[in-house]
Amino acid sequence: MIDKSSLSMVEVLSKIKDGSTIMIGGFGTAGQPAELIDGLIELGVKDLVIVNNNAGNGDYGLAKLLKSGAVRKIICSFPRQSDSWVFDELYHTGKIELELVPQGNLACRIQAAG
């Protein structure tokens, strides 16, 4: 069996390069890997394409990553809600690209890519 364990988060995140496509789990703020998102921000990775169910909430997790300017494009099924002001501002000012995908199609695309 292949050992995929690593000693540090920095070691793992350092493999993510500018322009990478990353799928981030979670639904709203529930289940998002906040420490990993913070690590990406700290490393200064740019031009990311993010796949997620939504486009972030408030200033937490995914929204924090969007606010840092690291994300070029988001692929999601539910980009807007009452507290998605970070995405709203970026989108309306042309600073982020959106690929809107129905939720069932998004699930099928994720499964096919796996």
Side-chain angles (χ1 to χ4, degrees):
M1 183 158 82
I2 298 171
D3 181 6
K4 294 182 181 180
S5 61
S6 181
L7 298 177
S8 75
M9 186 168 54
V10 173
E11 181 184 344
V12 172
L13 292 177
S14 67
K15 296 177 184 181
I16 298 173
K17 305 299 179 198
D18 291 351
S20 294
T21 298
I22 303 171
M23 185 172 74
I24 295 179
F27 188 84
T29 55
Q32 285 187 11
E35 292 82 13
L36 294 174
I37 291 170
D38 289 344
L40 286 172
I41 294 168
E42 288 176 29
L43 284 174
V45 183
K46 299 288 183 201
D47 201 32
L48 298 174
V49 176
I50 300 296
V51 179
N52 188 271
N53 185 67
N54 66 7
N57 302 81
D59 294 314
Y60 172 82
L62 180 54
K64 186 176 178 182
L65 183 63
L66 297 177
K67 191 173 186 175
S68 76
V71 181
R72 173 181 60 83
K73 176 180 178 178
I74 188 154
I75 301 170
C76 69
S77 62
F78 191 67
R80 292 201 72 243
Q81 47 204 356
S82 63
D83 64 347
S84 61
W85 55 79
V86 173
F87 169 77
D88 287 354
E89 176 158 339
L90 292 171
Y91 185 74
H92 286 104
T93 58
K95 295 179 181 172
I96 194 167
E97 183 182 341
L98 169 65
E99 184 176 334
L100 188 59
V101 181
Q103 194 164 29
N105 292 14
L106 183 62
C108 288
R109 285 173 63 177
I110 290 168
Q111 184 181 25

PDB file of all heavy atoms in Angstrom, residues 51-91:
ATOM      1  N   VAL A  51     -13.236  24.381  -6.767  1.00  0.00           N
ATOM      2  CA  VAL A  51     -14.483  23.641  -6.960  1.00  0.00           C
ATOM      3  C   VAL A  51     -15.093  23.459  -5.578  1.00  0.00           C
ATOM      4  O   VAL A  51     -14.450  22.921  -4.674  1.00  0.00           O
ATOM      5  CB  VAL A  51     -14.229  22.263  -7.613  1.00  0.00           C
ATOM      6  CG1 VAL A  51     -15.536  21.503  -7.775  1.00  0.00           C
ATOM      7  CG2 VAL A  51     -13.510  22.423  -8.944  1.00  0.00           C
ATOM      8  N   ASN A  52     -16.329  23.931  -5.408  1.00  0.00           N
ATOM      9  CA  ASN A  52     -17.018  23.828  -4.126  1.00  0.00           C
ATOM     10  C   ASN A  52     -18.508  23.938  -4.384  1.00  0.00           C
ATOM     11  O   ASN A  52     -18.924  24.388  -5.449  1.00  0.00           O
ATOM     12  CB  ASN A  52     -16.555  24.939  -3.181  1.00  0.00           C
ATOM     13  CG  ASN A  52     -17.081  24.774  -1.766  1.00  0.00           C
ATOM     14  OD1 ASN A  52     -18.164  25.260  -1.444  1.00  0.00           O
ATOM     15  ND2 ASN A  52     -16.328  24.111  -0.920  1.00  0.00           N
ATOM     16  N   ASN A  53     -19.298  23.569  -3.422  1.00  0.00           N
ATOM     17  CA  ASN A  53     -20.745  23.697  -3.562  1.00  0.00           C
ATOM     18  C   ASN A  53     -21.178  25.152  -3.646  1.00  0.00           C
ATOM     19  O   ASN A  53     -22.083  25.500  -4.383  1.00  0.00           O
ATOM     20  CB  ASN A  53     -21.460  23.019  -2.388  1.00  0.00           C
ATOM     21  CG  ASN A  53     -22.945  23.035  -2.552  1.00  0.00           C
ATOM     22  OD1 ASN A  53     -23.474  22.401  -3.440  1.00  0.00           O
ATOM     23  ND2 ASN A  53     -23.626  23.791  -1.727  1.00  0.00           N
ATOM     24  N   ASN A  54     -20.510  26.034  -2.885  1.00  0.00           N
ATOM     25  CA  ASN A  54     -20.895  27.438  -2.894  1.00  0.00           C
ATOM     26  C   ASN A  54     -19.661  28.327  -3.042  1.00  0.00           C
ATOM     27  O   ASN A  54     -18.585  27.835  -3.341  1.00  0.00           O
ATOM     28  CB  ASN A  54     -21.709  27.781  -1.646  1.00  0.00           C
ATOM     29  CG  ASN A  54     -20.904  27.677  -0.369  1.00  0.00           C
ATOM     30  OD1 ASN A  54     -19.703  27.470  -0.397  1.00  0.00           O
ATOM     31  ND2 ASN A  54     -21.566  27.824   0.754  1.00  0.00           N
ATOM     32  N   ALA A  55     -19.847  29.628  -2.825  1.00  0.00           N
ATOM     33  CA  ALA A  55     -18.745  30.574  -3.025  1.00  0.00           C
ATOM     34  C   ALA A  55     -18.367  31.306  -1.749  1.00  0.00           C
ATOM     35  O   ALA A  55     -17.935  32.439  -1.783  1.00  0.00           O
ATOM     36  CB  ALA A  55     -19.119  31.562  -4.127  1.00  0.00           C
ATOM     37  N   GLY A  56     -18.530  30.643  -0.627  1.00  0.00           N
ATOM     38  CA  GLY A  56     -18.079  31.208   0.640  1.00  0.00           C
ATOM     39  C   GLY A  56     -19.152  31.964   1.392  1.00  0.00           C
ATOM     40  O   GLY A  56     -20.119  32.443   0.816  1.00  0.00           O
ATOM     41  N   ASN A  57     -18.943  32.056   2.703  1.00  0.00           N
ATOM     42  CA  ASN A  57     -19.856  32.739   3.610  1.00  0.00           C
ATOM     43  C   ASN A  57     -19.079  33.697   4.496  1.00  0.00           C
ATOM     44  O   ASN A  57     -18.025  33.325   5.019  1.00  0.00           O
ATOM     45  CB  ASN A  57     -20.575  31.736   4.521  1.00  0.00           C
ATOM     46  CG  ASN A  57     -21.343  30.706   3.745  1.00  0.00           C
ATOM     47  OD1 ASN A  57     -20.766  29.740   3.271  1.00  0.00           O
ATOM     48  ND2 ASN A  57     -22.626  30.905   3.602  1.00  0.00           N
ATOM     49  N   GLY A  58     -19.604  34.873   4.685  1.00  0.00           N
ATOM     50  CA  GLY A  58     -18.971  35.838   5.578  1.00  0.00           C
ATOM     51  C   GLY A  58     -17.526  36.082   5.208  1.00  0.00           C
ATOM     52  O   GLY A  58     -17.192  36.278   4.043  1.00  0.00           O
ATOM     53  N   ASP A  59     -16.661  36.076   6.197  1.00  0.00           N
ATOM     54  CA  ASP A  59     -15.215  36.262   5.988  1.00  0.00           C
ATOM     55  C   ASP A  59     -14.442  35.024   6.413  1.00  0.00           C
ATOM     56  O   ASP A  59     -13.263  35.081   6.704  1.00  0.00           O
ATOM     57  CB  ASP A  59     -14.720  37.461   6.806  1.00  0.00           C
ATOM     58  CG  ASP A  59     -15.303  38.768   6.310  1.00  0.00           C
ATOM     59  OD1 ASP A  59     -15.304  38.987   5.098  1.00  0.00           O
ATOM     60  OD2 ASP A  59     -15.783  39.555   7.144  1.00  0.00           O
ATOM     61  N   TYR A  60     -15.106  33.875   6.475  1.00  0.00           N
ATOM     62  CA  TYR A  60     -14.545  32.653   7.026  1.00  0.00           C
ATOM     63  C   TYR A  60     -14.211  31.657   5.919  1.00  0.00           C
ATOM     64  O   TYR A  60     -14.900  31.582   4.899  1.00  0.00           O
ATOM     65  CB  TYR A  60     -15.581  32.039   7.989  1.00  0.00           C
ATOM     66  CG  TYR A  60     -15.222  30.664   8.501  1.00  0.00           C
ATOM     67  CD1 TYR A  60     -14.358  30.513   9.571  1.00  0.00           C
ATOM     68  CD2 TYR A  60     -15.743  29.530   7.899  1.00  0.00           C
ATOM     69  CE1 TYR A  60     -14.026  29.256  10.043  1.00  0.00           C
ATOM     70  CE2 TYR A  60     -15.406  28.267   8.364  1.00  0.00           C
ATOM     71  CZ  TYR A  60     -14.555  28.137   9.435  1.00  0.00           C
ATOM     72  OH  TYR A  60     -14.223  26.897   9.888  1.00  0.00           O
ATOM     73  N   GLY A  61     -13.180  30.862   6.126  1.00  0.00           N
ATOM     74  CA  GLY A  61     -12.876  29.732   5.241  1.00  0.00           C
ATOM     75  C   GLY A  61     -12.706  30.120   3.786  1.00  0.00           C
ATOM     76  O   GLY A  61     -11.830  30.910   3.434  1.00  0.00           O
ATOM     77  N   LEU A  62     -13.562  29.569   2.938  1.00  0.00           N
ATOM     78  CA  LEU A  62     -13.469  29.806   1.494  1.00  0.00           C
ATOM     79  C   LEU A  62     -13.578  31.285   1.163  1.00  0.00           C
ATOM     80  O   LEU A  62     -12.843  31.791   0.308  1.00  0.00           O
ATOM     81  CB  LEU A  62     -14.546  29.003   0.764  1.00  0.00           C
ATOM     82  CG  LEU A  62     -14.593  29.130  -0.756  1.00  0.00           C
ATOM     83  CD1 LEU A  62     -13.243  28.820  -1.386  1.00  0.00           C
ATOM     84  CD2 LEU A  62     -15.662  28.226  -1.317  1.00  0.00           C
ATOM     85  N   ALA A  63     -14.461  32.013   1.830  1.00  0.00           N
ATOM     86  CA  ALA A  63     -14.587  33.455   1.583  1.00  0.00           C
ATOM     87  C   ALA A  63     -13.273  34.179   1.901  1.00  0.00           C
ATOM     88  O   ALA A  63     -12.885  35.111   1.196  1.00  0.00           O
ATOM     89  CB  ALA A  63     -15.730  34.042   2.399  1.00  0.00           C
ATOM     90  N   LYS A  64     -12.593  33.732   2.929  1.00  0.00           N
ATOM     91  CA  LYS A  64     -11.296  34.307   3.304  1.00  0.00           C
ATOM     92  C   LYS A  64     -10.268  34.074   2.191  1.00  0.00           C
ATOM     93  O   LYS A  64      -9.477  34.956   1.872  1.00  0.00           O
ATOM     94  CB  LYS A  64     -10.835  33.682   4.617  1.00  0.00           C
ATOM     95  CG  LYS A  64      -9.598  34.274   5.213  1.00  0.00           C
ATOM     96  CD  LYS A  64      -9.325  33.620   6.565  1.00  0.00           C
ATOM     97  CE  LYS A  64      -8.068  34.130   7.193  1.00  0.00           C
ATOM     98  NZ  LYS A  64      -7.798  33.443   8.470  1.00  0.00           N
ATOM     99  N   LEU A  65     -10.303  32.888   1.589  1.00  0.00           N
ATOM    100  CA  LEU A  65      -9.401  32.587   0.471  1.00  0.00           C
ATOM    101  C   LEU A  65      -9.730  33.470  -0.724  1.00  0.00           C
ATOM    102  O   LEU A  65      -8.829  34.009  -1.374  1.00  0.00           O
ATOM    103  CB  LEU A  65      -9.511  31.101   0.096  1.00  0.00           C
ATOM    104  CG  LEU A  65      -8.587  30.605  -1.004  1.00  0.00           C
ATOM    105  CD1 LEU A  65      -7.117  30.726  -0.595  1.00  0.00           C
ATOM    106  CD2 LEU A  65      -8.918  29.157  -1.361  1.00  0.00           C
ATOM    107  N   LEU A  66     -11.017  33.641  -1.023  1.00  0.00           N
ATOM    108  CA  LEU A  66     -11.419  34.525  -2.123  1.00  0.00           C
ATOM    109  C   LEU A  66     -10.940  35.948  -1.856  1.00  0.00           C
ATOM    110  O   LEU A  66     -10.394  36.612  -2.747  1.00  0.00           O
ATOM    111  CB  LEU A  66     -12.940  34.523  -2.293  1.00  0.00           C
ATOM    112  CG  LEU A  66     -13.618  33.207  -2.675  1.00  0.00           C
ATOM    113  CD1 LEU A  66     -15.128  33.393  -2.735  1.00  0.00           C
ATOM    114  CD2 LEU A  66     -13.099  32.666  -3.979  1.00  0.00           C
ATOM    115  N   LYS A  67     -11.149  36.411  -0.640  1.00  0.00           N
ATOM    116  CA  LYS A  67     -10.776  37.781  -0.269  1.00  0.00           C
ATOM    117  C   LYS A  67      -9.272  38.023  -0.391  1.00  0.00           C
ATOM    118  O   LYS A  67      -8.835  39.136  -0.687  1.00  0.00           O
ATOM    119  CB  LYS A  67     -11.238  38.061   1.161  1.00  0.00           C
ATOM    120  CG  LYS A  67     -11.149  39.504   1.568  1.00  0.00           C
ATOM    121  CD  LYS A  67     -11.780  39.699   2.934  1.00  0.00           C
ATOM    122  CE  LYS A  67     -11.831  41.157   3.305  1.00  0.00           C
ATOM    123  NZ  LYS A  67     -12.541  41.358   4.578  1.00  0.00           N
ATOM    124  N   SER A  68      -8.474  36.977  -0.217  1.00  0.00           N
ATOM    125  CA  SER A  68      -7.014  37.121  -0.308  1.00  0.00           C
ATOM    126  C   SER A  68      -6.536  37.364  -1.738  1.00  0.00           C
ATOM    127  O   SER A  68      -5.379  37.703  -1.949  1.00  0.00           O
ATOM    128  CB  SER A  68      -6.331  35.866   0.248  1.00  0.00           C
ATOM    129  OG  SER A  68      -6.403  34.791  -0.679  1.00  0.00           O
ATOM    130  N   GLY A  69      -7.419  37.172  -2.714  1.00  0.00           N
ATOM    131  CA  GLY A  69      -7.033  37.382  -4.109  1.00  0.00           C
ATOM    132  C   GLY A  69      -6.386  36.178  -4.756  1.00  0.00           C
ATOM    133  O   GLY A  69      -5.875  36.262  -5.871  1.00  0.00           O
ATOM    134  N   ALA A  70      -6.412  35.041  -4.082  1.00  0.00           N
ATOM    135  CA  ALA A  70      -5.750  33.843  -4.585  1.00  0.00           C
ATOM    136  C   ALA A  70      -6.559  33.090  -5.634  1.00  0.00           C
ATOM    137  O   ALA A  70      -6.010  32.259  -6.346  1.00  0.00           O
ATOM    138  CB  ALA A  70      -5.444  32.894  -3.426  1.00  0.00           C
ATOM    139  N   VAL A  71      -7.854  33.393  -5.753  1.00  0.00           N
ATOM    140  CA  VAL A  71      -8.742  32.604  -6.610  1.00  0.00           C
ATOM    141  C   VAL A  71      -9.081  33.357  -7.888  1.00  0.00           C
ATOM    142  O   VAL A  71      -9.578  34.474  -7.851  1.00  0.00           O
ATOM    143  CB  VAL A  71     -10.038  32.232  -5.858  1.00  0.00           C
ATOM    144  CG1 VAL A  71     -10.952  31.392  -6.740  1.00  0.00           C
ATOM    145  CG2 VAL A  71      -9.697  31.481  -4.573  1.00  0.00           C
ATOM    146  N   ARG A  72      -8.808  32.725  -9.027  1.00  0.00           N
ATOM    147  CA  ARG A  72      -9.142  33.290 -10.339  1.00  0.00           C
ATOM    148  C   ARG A  72     -10.547  32.913 -10.764  1.00  0.00           C
ATOM    149  O   ARG A  72     -11.252  33.693 -11.383  1.00  0.00           O
ATOM    150  CB  ARG A  72      -8.141  32.791 -11.386  1.00  0.00           C
ATOM    151  CG  ARG A  72      -8.483  33.180 -12.821  1.00  0.00           C
ATOM    152  CD  ARG A  72      -7.474  32.634 -13.816  1.00  0.00           C
ATOM    153  NE  ARG A  72      -7.365  31.194 -13.824  1.00  0.00           N
ATOM    154  CZ  ARG A  72      -8.184  30.375 -14.483  1.00  0.00           C
ATOM    155  NH1 ARG A  72      -9.198  30.837 -15.170  1.00  0.00           N
ATOM    156  NH2 ARG A  72      -7.999  29.072 -14.440  1.00  0.00           N
ATOM    157  N   LYS A  73     -10.961  31.664 -10.420  1.00  0.00           N
ATOM    158  CA  LYS A  73     -12.237  31.139 -10.900  1.00  0.00           C
ATOM    159  C   LYS A  73     -12.818  30.213  -9.838  1.00  0.00           C
ATOM    160  O   LYS A  73     -12.089  29.486  -9.174  1.00  0.00           O
ATOM    161  CB  LYS A  73     -12.010  30.359 -12.194  1.00  0.00           C
ATOM    162  CG  LYS A  73     -13.231  29.684 -12.761  1.00  0.00           C
ATOM    163  CD  LYS A  73     -12.871  28.943 -14.053  1.00  0.00           C
ATOM    164  CE  LYS A  73     -14.043  28.213 -14.641  1.00  0.00           C
ATOM    165  NZ  LYS A  73     -13.676  27.543 -15.902  1.00  0.00           N
ATOM    166  N   ILE A  74     -14.140  30.245  -9.727  1.00  0.00           N
ATOM    167  CA  ILE A  74     -14.821  29.304  -8.844  1.00  0.00           C
ATOM    168  C   ILE A  74     -15.867  28.544  -9.648  1.00  0.00           C
ATOM    169  O   ILE A  74     -16.581  29.124 -10.465  1.00  0.00           O
ATOM    170  CB  ILE A  74     -15.440  29.991  -7.613  1.00  0.00           C
ATOM    171  CG1 ILE A  74     -15.969  28.940  -6.636  1.00  0.00           C
ATOM    172  CG2 ILE A  74     -16.511  30.992  -7.995  1.00  0.00           C
ATOM    173  CD1 ILE A  74     -16.031  29.398  -5.219  1.00  0.00           C
ATOM    174  N   ILE A  75     -15.883  27.232  -9.457  1.00  0.00           N
ATOM    175  CA  ILE A  75     -16.870  26.352 -10.087  1.00  0.00           C
ATOM    176  C   ILE A  75     -17.775  25.879  -8.961  1.00  0.00           C
ATOM    177  O   ILE A  75     -17.318  25.196  -8.041  1.00  0.00           O
ATOM    178  CB  ILE A  75     -16.184  25.159 -10.779  1.00  0.00           C
ATOM    179  CG1 ILE A  75     -15.202  25.656 -11.839  1.00  0.00           C
ATOM    180  CG2 ILE A  75     -17.232  24.222 -11.385  1.00  0.00           C
ATOM    181  CD1 ILE A  75     -14.299  24.573 -12.414  1.00  0.00           C
ATOM    182  N   CYS A  76     -19.052  26.267  -9.008  1.00  0.00           N
ATOM    183  CA  CYS A  76     -19.955  25.918  -7.918  1.00  0.00           C
ATOM    184  C   CYS A  76     -21.408  25.926  -8.390  1.00  0.00           C
ATOM    185  O   CYS A  76     -21.711  26.345  -9.499  1.00  0.00           O
ATOM    186  CB  CYS A  76     -19.781  26.872  -6.740  1.00  0.00           C
ATOM    187  SG  CYS A  76     -20.346  28.546  -7.014  1.00  0.00           S
ATOM    188  N   SER A  77     -22.294  25.463  -7.513  1.00  0.00           N
ATOM    189  CA  SER A  77     -23.708  25.417  -7.863  1.00  0.00           C
ATOM    190  C   SER A  77     -24.533  26.463  -7.118  1.00  0.00           C
ATOM    191  O   SER A  77     -25.673  26.724  -7.488  1.00  0.00           O
ATOM    192  CB  SER A  77     -24.277  24.022  -7.579  1.00  0.00           C
ATOM    193  OG  SER A  77     -24.183  23.716  -6.210  1.00  0.00           O
ATOM    194  N   PHE A  78     -23.985  27.075  -6.087  1.00  0.00           N
ATOM    195  CA  PHE A  78     -24.771  27.987  -5.258  1.00  0.00           C
ATOM    196  C   PHE A  78     -23.895  29.163  -4.821  1.00  0.00           C
ATOM    197  O   PHE A  78     -23.435  29.215  -3.680  1.00  0.00           O
ATOM    198  CB  PHE A  78     -25.309  27.215  -4.045  1.00  0.00           C
ATOM    199  CG  PHE A  78     -26.346  27.946  -3.253  1.00  0.00           C
ATOM    200  CD1 PHE A  78     -27.588  28.218  -3.779  1.00  0.00           C
ATOM    201  CD2 PHE A  78     -26.063  28.342  -1.955  1.00  0.00           C
ATOM    202  CE1 PHE A  78     -28.548  28.884  -3.035  1.00  0.00           C
ATOM    203  CE2 PHE A  78     -27.014  28.997  -1.193  1.00  0.00           C
ATOM    204  CZ  PHE A  78     -28.256  29.270  -1.739  1.00  0.00           C
ATOM    205  N   PRO A  79     -23.642  30.127  -5.708  1.00  0.00           N
ATOM    206  CA  PRO A  79     -22.682  31.181  -5.383  1.00  0.00           C
ATOM    207  C   PRO A  79     -23.196  32.284  -4.468  1.00  0.00           C
ATOM    208  O   PRO A  79     -22.407  32.938  -3.802  1.00  0.00           O
ATOM    209  CB  PRO A  79     -22.328  31.761  -6.750  1.00  0.00           C
ATOM    210  CG  PRO A  79     -23.542  31.529  -7.573  1.00  0.00           C
ATOM    211  CD  PRO A  79     -24.100  30.211  -7.093  1.00  0.00           C
ATOM    212  N   ARG A  80     -24.502  32.513  -4.422  1.00  0.00           N
ATOM    213  CA  ARG A  80     -25.008  33.670  -3.678  1.00  0.00           C
ATOM    214  C   ARG A  80     -25.929  33.271  -2.541  1.00  0.00           C
ATOM    215  O   ARG A  80     -26.777  32.414  -2.689  1.00  0.00           O
ATOM    216  CB  ARG A  80     -25.788  34.599  -4.608  1.00  0.00           C
ATOM    217  CG  ARG A  80     -24.911  35.273  -5.622  1.00  0.00           C
ATOM    218  CD  ARG A  80     -25.523  36.534  -6.186  1.00  0.00           C
ATOM    219  NE  ARG A  80     -25.528  37.598  -5.196  1.00  0.00           N
ATOM    220  CZ  ARG A  80     -26.631  38.159  -4.717  1.00  0.00           C
ATOM    221  NH1 ARG A  80     -27.814  37.767  -5.106  1.00  0.00           N
ATOM    222  NH2 ARG A  80     -26.555  39.127  -3.836  1.00  0.00           N
ATOM    223  N   GLN A  81     -25.738  33.952  -1.429  1.00  0.00           N
ATOM    224  CA  GLN A  81     -26.646  33.873  -0.302  1.00  0.00           C
ATOM    225  C   GLN A  81     -26.486  35.161   0.495  1.00  0.00           C
ATOM    226  O   GLN A  81     -25.693  36.019   0.133  1.00  0.00           O
ATOM    227  CB  GLN A  81     -26.391  32.632   0.540  1.00  0.00           C
ATOM    228  CG  GLN A  81     -24.957  32.392   0.874  1.00  0.00           C
ATOM    229  CD  GLN A  81     -24.696  30.929   1.172  1.00  0.00           C
ATOM    230  OE1 GLN A  81     -25.584  30.113   1.201  1.00  0.00           O
ATOM    231  NE2 GLN A  81     -23.462  30.601   1.405  1.00  0.00           N
ATOM    232  N   SER A  82     -27.209  35.295   1.580  1.00  0.00           N
ATOM    233  CA  SER A  82     -27.244  36.578   2.288  1.00  0.00           C
ATOM    234  C   SER A  82     -25.880  37.037   2.801  1.00  0.00           C
ATOM    235  O   SER A  82     -25.639  38.233   2.896  1.00  0.00           O
ATOM    236  CB  SER A  82     -28.244  36.518   3.438  1.00  0.00           C
ATOM    237  OG  SER A  82     -27.840  35.551   4.388  1.00  0.00           O
ATOM    238  N   ASP A  83     -24.991  36.127   3.123  1.00  0.00           N
ATOM    239  CA  ASP A  83     -23.687  36.532   3.659  1.00  0.00           C
ATOM    240  C   ASP A  83     -22.516  36.210   2.735  1.00  0.00           C
ATOM    241  O   ASP A  83     -21.405  35.994   3.172  1.00  0.00           O
ATOM    242  CB  ASP A  83     -23.466  35.920   5.045  1.00  0.00           C
ATOM    243  CG  ASP A  83     -23.399  34.402   5.026  1.00  0.00           C
ATOM    244  OD1 ASP A  83     -23.760  33.790   3.995  1.00  0.00           O
ATOM    245  OD2 ASP A  83     -22.979  33.820   6.041  1.00  0.00           O
ATOM    246  N   SER A  84     -22.770  36.237   1.431  1.00  0.00           N
ATOM    247  CA  SER A  84     -21.683  35.953   0.473  1.00  0.00           C
ATOM    248  C   SER A  84     -21.136  37.246  -0.122  1.00  0.00           C
ATOM    249  O   SER A  84     -20.878  37.341  -1.313  1.00  0.00           O
ATOM    250  CB  SER A  84     -22.183  35.018  -0.633  1.00  0.00           C
ATOM    251  OG  SER A  84     -23.242  35.622  -1.350  1.00  0.00           O
ATOM    252  N   TRP A  85     -20.930  38.269   0.718  1.00  0.00           N
ATOM    253  CA  TRP A  85     -20.514  39.578   0.229  1.00  0.00           C
ATOM    254  C   TRP A  85     -19.124  39.577  -0.400  1.00  0.00           C
ATOM    255  O   TRP A  85     -18.878  40.355  -1.311  1.00  0.00           O
ATOM    256  CB  TRP A  85     -20.600  40.633   1.330  1.00  0.00           C
ATOM    257  CG  TRP A  85     -19.851  40.298   2.578  1.00  0.00           C
ATOM    258  CD1 TRP A  85     -18.510  40.408   2.796  1.00  0.00           C
ATOM    259  CD2 TRP A  85     -20.412  39.778   3.776  1.00  0.00           C
ATOM    260  NE1 TRP A  85     -18.195  39.984   4.057  1.00  0.00           N
ATOM    261  CE2 TRP A  85     -19.345  39.600   4.695  1.00  0.00           C
ATOM    262  CE3 TRP A  85     -21.696  39.444   4.183  1.00  0.00           C
ATOM    263  CZ2 TRP A  85     -19.534  39.104   5.978  1.00  0.00           C
ATOM    264  CZ3 TRP A  85     -21.884  38.958   5.461  1.00  0.00           C
ATOM    265  CH2 TRP A  85     -20.808  38.792   6.336  1.00  0.00           C
ATOM    266  N   VAL A  86     -18.227  38.712   0.017  1.00  0.00           N
ATOM    267  CA  VAL A  86     -16.886  38.682  -0.583  1.00  0.00           C
ATOM    268  C   VAL A  86     -16.999  38.264  -2.046  1.00  0.00           C
ATOM    269  O   VAL A  86     -16.490  38.951  -2.936  1.00  0.00           O
ATOM    270  CB  VAL A  86     -15.936  37.739   0.187  1.00  0.00           C
ATOM    271  CG1 VAL A  86     -14.615  37.583  -0.554  1.00  0.00           C
ATOM    272  CG2 VAL A  86     -15.698  38.248   1.597  1.00  0.00           C
ATOM    273  N   PHE A  87     -17.682  37.153  -2.305  1.00  0.00           N
ATOM    274  CA  PHE A  87     -17.860  36.715  -3.684  1.00  0.00           C
ATOM    275  C   PHE A  87     -18.611  37.770  -4.489  1.00  0.00           C
ATOM    276  O   PHE A  87     -18.222  38.087  -5.619  1.00  0.00           O
ATOM    277  CB  PHE A  87     -18.611  35.386  -3.765  1.00  0.00           C
ATOM    278  CG  PHE A  87     -19.022  35.054  -5.169  1.00  0.00           C
ATOM    279  CD1 PHE A  87     -18.095  34.563  -6.076  1.00  0.00           C
ATOM    280  CD2 PHE A  87     -20.310  35.300  -5.608  1.00  0.00           C
ATOM    281  CE1 PHE A  87     -18.456  34.306  -7.391  1.00  0.00           C
ATOM    282  CE2 PHE A  87     -20.684  35.040  -6.917  1.00  0.00           C
ATOM    283  CZ  PHE A  87     -19.751  34.540  -7.810  1.00  0.00           C
ATOM    284  N   ASP A  88     -19.694  38.308  -3.937  1.00  0.00           N
ATOM    285  CA  ASP A  88     -20.504  39.303  -4.656  1.00  0.00           C
ATOM    286  C   ASP A  88     -19.647  40.465  -5.151  1.00  0.00           C
ATOM    287  O   ASP A  88     -19.730  40.858  -6.309  1.00  0.00           O
ATOM    288  CB  ASP A  88     -21.625  39.843  -3.769  1.00  0.00           C
ATOM    289  CG  ASP A  88     -22.745  38.847  -3.556  1.00  0.00           C
ATOM    290  OD1 ASP A  88     -22.721  37.767  -4.178  1.00  0.00           O
ATOM    291  OD2 ASP A  88     -23.654  39.156  -2.751  1.00  0.00           O
ATOM    292  N   GLU A  89     -18.830  41.014  -4.262  1.00  0.00           N
ATOM    293  CA  GLU A  89     -17.991  42.155  -4.655  1.00  0.00           C
ATOM    294  C   GLU A  89     -16.975  41.763  -5.722  1.00  0.00           C
ATOM    295  O   GLU A  89     -16.783  42.486  -6.702  1.00  0.00           O
ATOM    296  CB  GLU A  89     -17.271  42.753  -3.444  1.00  0.00           C
ATOM    297  CG  GLU A  89     -16.333  43.860  -3.879  1.00  0.00           C
ATOM    298  CD  GLU A  89     -15.988  44.831  -2.766  1.00  0.00           C
ATOM    299  OE1 GLU A  89     -16.733  44.914  -1.780  1.00  0.00           O
ATOM    300  OE2 GLU A  89     -14.969  45.497  -2.926  1.00  0.00           O
ATOM    301  N   LEU A  90     -16.312  40.635  -5.541  1.00  0.00           N
ATOM    302  CA  LEU A  90     -15.326  40.188  -6.531  1.00  0.00           C
ATOM    303  C   LEU A  90     -15.968  39.951  -7.888  1.00  0.00           C
ATOM    304  O   LEU A  90     -15.423  40.337  -8.926  1.00  0.00           O
ATOM    305  CB  LEU A  90     -14.632  38.910  -6.055  1.00  0.00           C
ATOM    306  CG  LEU A  90     -13.715  39.048  -4.838  1.00  0.00           C
ATOM    307  CD1 LEU A  90     -13.271  37.682  -4.354  1.00  0.00           C
ATOM    308  CD2 LEU A  90     -12.524  39.930  -5.156  1.00  0.00           C
ATOM    309  N   TYR A  91     -17.127  39.334  -7.889  1.00  0.00           N
ATOM    310  CA  TYR A  91     -17.814  39.027  -9.142  1.00  0.00           C
ATOM    311  C   TYR A  91     -18.292  40.296  -9.847  1.00  0.00           C
ATOM    312  O   TYR A  91     -18.094  40.455 -11.051  1.00  0.00           O
ATOM    313  CB  TYR A  91     -18.985  38.078  -8.888  1.00  0.00           C
ATOM    314  CG  TYR A  91     -19.662  37.633 -10.155  1.00  0.00           C
ATOM    315  CD1 TYR A  91     -19.050  36.711 -10.999  1.00  0.00           C
ATOM    316  CD2 TYR A  91     -20.903  38.146 -10.528  1.00  0.00           C
ATOM    317  CE1 TYR A  91     -19.657  36.294 -12.175  1.00  0.00           C
ATOM    318  CE2 TYR A  91     -21.513  37.736 -11.702  1.00  0.00           C
ATOM    319  CZ  TYR A  91     -20.886  36.813 -12.519  1.00  0.00           C
ATOM    320  OH  TYR A  91     -21.491  36.419 -13.688  1.00  0.00           O
TER     321      TYR A  91
END
